Amino acid sequence: MNAHEEIFGSGSNSECSTSRASMFTSACAATAEVVGRDADQALRTVSGKPGFATLRSVAKRLRQAVDRYDALGCAHDPRGSSVRHRCLDPAAQIAQGDADLRDGVNMGLAGR
């Protein structure tokens, strides 16, 4: 996750930040793909293990955000304002994805 965060950024430094026009481009799509893979890896890693409720919740939420971003076609510069508006929430979650996953790992290791 740290390596992906260094490459793809996080928060306002992410290509998926809602304050950046790049959230409607293939640059954000690439970030979304990586965040989705990180979420999937987190889910596989904790599958069948006790604890890690926060990590599971975060990873599932991120997987859903990536799926919504893709389904809406957000990376292809949607023209309709309603679609662009619906892209904001999943893009914001993706932008913060690796940081949230890291927090989930840390909380899991702390028993939460």
Side-chain angles (χ1 to χ4, degrees):
M1 288 182 292
N2 289 341
H4 290 161
E5 196 170 11
E6 287 178 22
I7 295 167
F8 294 97
S10 181
S12 62
N13 292 323
S14 170
E15 297 295 338
C16 294
S17 170
T18 58
S19 65
R20 298 177 72 167
S22 59
M23 75 171 271
F24 296 112
T25 69
S26 60
C28 180
T31 301
E33 182 180 335
V34 168
V35 167
R37 285 196 318 250
D38 289 345
D40 291 342
Q41 178 62 36
L43 289 170
R44 281 191 302 276
T45 300
V46 299
S47 178
K49 296 179 181 173
F52 295 96
T54 300
L55 179 58
R56 276 187 187 83
S57 175
V58 167
K60 287 177 184 177
R61 179 180 50 79
L62 286 172
R63 183 71 256 169
Q64 290 170 348
V66 169
D67 291 345
R68 272 194 333 268
Y69 181 86
D70 290 342
L72 289 167
C74 299
H76 305 292
D77 197 19
R79 295 294 174 202
S81 62
S82 67
V83 174
R84 291 175 78 83
H85 182 72
R86 290 193 319 246
C87 289
L88 293 175
D89 181 58
Q93 289 182 54
I94 293 164
Q96 193 60 34
D98 281 329
D100 288 350
L101 284 170
R102 184 177 42 259
D103 289 346
V105 168
N106 291 336
M107 290 181 80
L109 293 172
R112 295 185 269 167

